[in-house]
Amino acid sequence: AQTVTQSQPEMSVQEAETVTLSCTYDTSENNYYLFWYKQPPSRQMILVIRQEAYKQQNATENRFSVNFQKAAKSFSLKISDSQLGDTAMYFCAFTEGAQKLVFGQGTRLTINP
Amino acid sequence: EAGVVQSPRYKIIEKKQPVAFWCNPISGHNTLYWYRQNLGQGPELLIRYENEEAVDDSQLPKDRFSAERLKGVDSTLKIQPAELGDSAVYLCASSLDGALAVEQFFGPGTRLTVL
């Protein structure tokens, strides 16, 4: 069974700093997709970034980038120049296709002014 | 483009009462998902629909939970009777068809409190 593990329950950084959230996963499949979702107090799950396993190049979206290490089954999220609006729960998620998403336990990120 | 719509946003009931949640997916999205998110945890899939067909309901507690997606658009998730342990956020998501349609779009969720 696929599992996703986020080992950092909480993190806190100062505004404008860079922060990295960790995620590891377990699968026997070769083709799959990885995501980072942000969930603010409003509860709306917002897609931050996605990575296709067959792509070697790490995905980037503005201030957000990932470090995808397929052999190590690691998928970390880096947030550069952090902003107050980045404060939220962050979930790492995995899917093999148009099926269910398997989520990690989440990391509560707080950006302090 | 309108997002996934869910109602109600909040629901408080007493145990043993019935409750229902409604979801309207993004127009054109044939795949619909219901997830349950317990406090401090990530969401877990309850059921997945492809059009009107429930293709994965293995995690749905069928003794008290039921779901339907008539006409392959809107969906309703019901709990009867509710138990204290059902307190959670119920999230609906939708996606396009096909193996490449991996991105799921989520609604704002319904927070259920069972007293």
Side-chain angles (χ1 to χ4, degrees), chain A residues 37 39 43-44 47 99 101, chain B residues 9 35 37 104 106 109:
Chain A
Y37 278 90
Q39 188 178 41
R43 300 196 306 268
Q44 184 91 40
L47 179 64
Q99 301 176 27
L101 283 168
Chain B
R9 291 295 309 276
Y35 290 85
Q37 185 177 20
Q104 296 181 24
F106 285 82

Side-chain angles (χ1 to χ4, degrees), chain A residues 33 35 37 39 41-47 50 52 89 91 95-106 108, chain B residues 9-10 33 35 37 40-43 45 48 50 56 89 91 98-104 106-111:
Chain A
Y33 303 83
F35 305 86
Y37 278 90
Q39 188 178 41
S42 66
R43 300 196 306 268
Q44 184 91 40
M45 280 282 191
I46 302 166
L47 179 64
R50 61 181 278 178
E52 290 84 355
M89 285 290 292
F91 290 95
T95 186
E96 295 173 359
Q99 301 176 27
K100 66 178 179 181
L101 283 168
V102 177
F103 287 87
Q105 305 94 316
R108 183 178 302 279
Chain B
R9 291 295 309 276
Y10 303 88
Y33 312 78
Y35 290 85
Q37 185 177 20
Q41 298 182 21
L45 182 74
R48 174 169 67 97
E50 296 282 352
D56 183 357
V89 173
L91 295 166
L100 296 180
V102 295
E103 184 171 344
Q104 296 181 24
F106 285 82
T110 298
R111 181 181 296 279

Side-chain angles (χ1 to χ4, degrees), chain A residues 12-24:
Chain A
S12 179
V13 298
Q14 296 298 120
E15 191 176 9
E17 290 184 345
T18 294
V19 59
T20 299
L21 308 183
S22 301
C23 173
T24 58

Side-chain angles (χ1 to χ4, degrees), chain B residues 16-80:
Chain B
K16 299 185 181 181
Q17 294 299 305
V19 64
F21 315 123
W22 175 80
C23 173
N24 181 248
I26 292 173
S27 178
H29 283 194
N30 293 331
T31 304
L32 183 144
Y33 312 78
W34 282 103
Y35 290 85
R36 177 168 61 187
Q37 185 177 20
N38 292 318
L39 185 63
Q41 298 182 21
E44 294 181 325
L45 182 74
L46 290 173
I47 189 168
R48 174 169 67 97
Y49 281 95
E50 296 282 352
N51 298 302
E52 303 89 356
E53 182 181 2
V55 296
D56 183 357
D57 62 356
S58 57
Q59 301 303 310
L60 189 72
K62 298 181 182 64
D63 56 337
R64 297 182 300 106
F65 285 66
S66 65
E68 62 181 12
R69 192 183 183 198
L70 301 176
K71 301 181 181 179
V73 181
D74 295 1
S75 178
T76 302
L77 178 68
K78 299 178 181 178
I79 309 175
Q80 183 172 10

